[in-house]
Amino acid sequence: MADESERAVQAAIEAEMRLLDPDVRASPALVSELLDPEFLEIGASGRRWDATSILTVTSDGSVAPEAPVEVSGMSGAVLAPGIVHLTYFADHSGRRAWRSSVWRLTGVGWRMYFHQGTLTS
C-alpha cells in the first residue's frame, strides 16, 4: 500500500511541476490536459478561477523560461484512493506564496481538481 501511495504522490508532484513549466503554461492545450473539468482555484488575490478562465492566466507569458517559479518543500499525502493533496512554497520573481493543490485520478490520468495560493512575506 505504501508503494501505491508513494507512486500516487509522485505522479501528482510530476503533474504539478509540469503545470509550473513555462513551456507547458504557454500551451492552453497542454494546461487543459492537466486540469480537471471541475477545476476551481482560489487565487492569492481572492479571485475564483475555473478551468476556462485560468487558461488566460497560464498562457499570458508571466512565467517565462528566464524567470521560472522556484518551488521548495513540496510534499503530498493520499487523502483517499485516487486523491492526492500537495503543499509547497513557491517564489516567482519575489512573489512568494504557500500553495495547496488537490489532484484527482481520472480515466485519462491525474488532473488538478483544486488549487489555492496564499501570499506570504
Side-chain angles (χ1 to χ4, degrees), residues 56-76:
T56 60
V57 176
T58 58
S59 62
D60 69 0
S62 62
V63 177
E66 55 276 5
V69 176
E70 295 177 34
V71 172
S72 59
M74 184 161 317
S75 65

Side-chain angles (χ1 to χ4, degrees), residues 18-81:
R18 284 193 65 216
L19 266 179
L20 294 171
D21 181 299
D23 293 331
V24 172
R25 292 176 72 86
S27 167
L30 292 176
V31 171
S32 293
E33 289 177 7
L34 293 166
L35 297 181
D36 193 277
E38 297 177 35
F39 172 80
L40 171 68
E41 175 170 337
I42 300 172
S45 65
R47 180 173 174 182
R48 289 171 54 107
W49 305 86
D50 63 17
T52 303
S53 63
I54 199 68
L55 292 176
T56 60
V57 176
T58 58
S59 62
D60 69 0
S62 62
V63 177
E66 55 276 5
V69 176
E70 295 177 34
V71 172
S72 59
M74 184 161 317
S75 65
V78 174
L79 301 180

